[in-house]
Amino acid sequence: MLSQFDPVRRRAKVDAEESDNGLHSWHLHVCSENNFPTAAGLASSAAGYACLVYTLAKLYGVKGDISSIARQGSGSACRSVLGGFVRWHKGCDPTGLDSVAQQIVPASHWPQLRILILVVNDRQKKISSTLGMQQSVKTSELLKYRVSHILPHRVDSIIKAIKERNFEMFAELTMKDSNQFHAMCLDTYPPALYMNDMSHSIVHLVHLLNSEKGRTK
């Protein structure tokens, strides 16, 4: 958690108009709660760290981008501080300073879109997201191919679908990317398994419904 406090305090000193207002000497107590399963695959760490960094930034009067600070706690947290549809830039700088999030469009851009979350297992994952990704980076050949050949044009396509509010394109790309992600998890050694039988049944049901409707519904 200190990885978020120190950068916010340093930024606050740079942004502050007065040299010292006493705020930097405060001792802070943080109490974090969430109303959905923790470490079960619903981005609890992203929500927690995004909320923490956003709150600290408000408290200390930090201006400008804070996504790079949130990213130090949880990679996905950098996207969560902005809202709407957000892109996380991987960056090129070894320090990670240019690995930041950028809002593509606000949530109001696509008010008809609805997201339904089906909690099929609220227990903690056997393999954490951090450990699973570290193992994939080390051992998955599919991950290397995915990063170099698939993701660049897929990111461009999904952004196009969002901006045009093209649901069929958006849904198909999302499903294909989910399939490939879990294939990468299987390609990891040892494999990182996140889907269960109920998950696969829901996927099958979605495809049956789409087949019945004759389009991606």
Side-chain angles (χ1 to χ4, degrees), residues 16-17 29 39 45 62-63 73 76 97 101 114 117 133 145 164 172 200-201 204:
E17 295 180 359
H29 171 74
S45 61
V62 170
K63 304 170 186 175
S76 299
L97 290 177
R114 296 291 183 270
I117 298 175
M133 183 54 68
Y145 183 84
E164 296 177 356
E172 182 175 329
H200 289 293
S201 296
H204 181 60

Side-chain angles (χ1 to χ4, degrees), residues 68-84:
S68 60
I69 300 175
R71 178 186 54 76
Q72 296 175 43
S74 169
S76 299
C78 73
R79 296 176 299 195
S80 302
V81 296
L82 296 176

Side-chain angles (χ1 to χ4, degrees), residues 83-156:
F85 296 84
V86 179
R87 177 178 183 173
W88 176 10
H89 293 275
K90 66 177 181 178
C92 301
D93 192 323
T95 65
L97 290 177
D98 58 346
S99 180
V100 297
Q102 176 188 18
Q103 186 183 76
I104 301 169
V105 290
S108 58
H109 169 75
W110 203 347
Q112 301 87 356
L113 187 67
R114 296 291 183 270
I115 299 174
L116 179 67
I117 298 175
L118 306 179
V119 181
V120 298
N121 187 343
D122 62 0
R123 293 193 297 271
Q124 184 172 334
K125 292 175 293 188
K126 294 180 180 178
I127 303 172
S128 71
S129 300
T130 301
L131 178 60
M133 183 54 68
Q134 288 173 344
Q135 287 297 106
S136 294
V137 169
K138 290 179 183 177
T139 64
S140 174
E141 293 298 322
L142 177 56
L143 171 59
K144 297 173 185 176
Y145 183 84
R146 172 176 160 81
V147 169
S148 60
H149 291 81
I150 304 297
L151 288 183
H153 69 264
R154 184 165 285 176
V155 168
D156 292 338

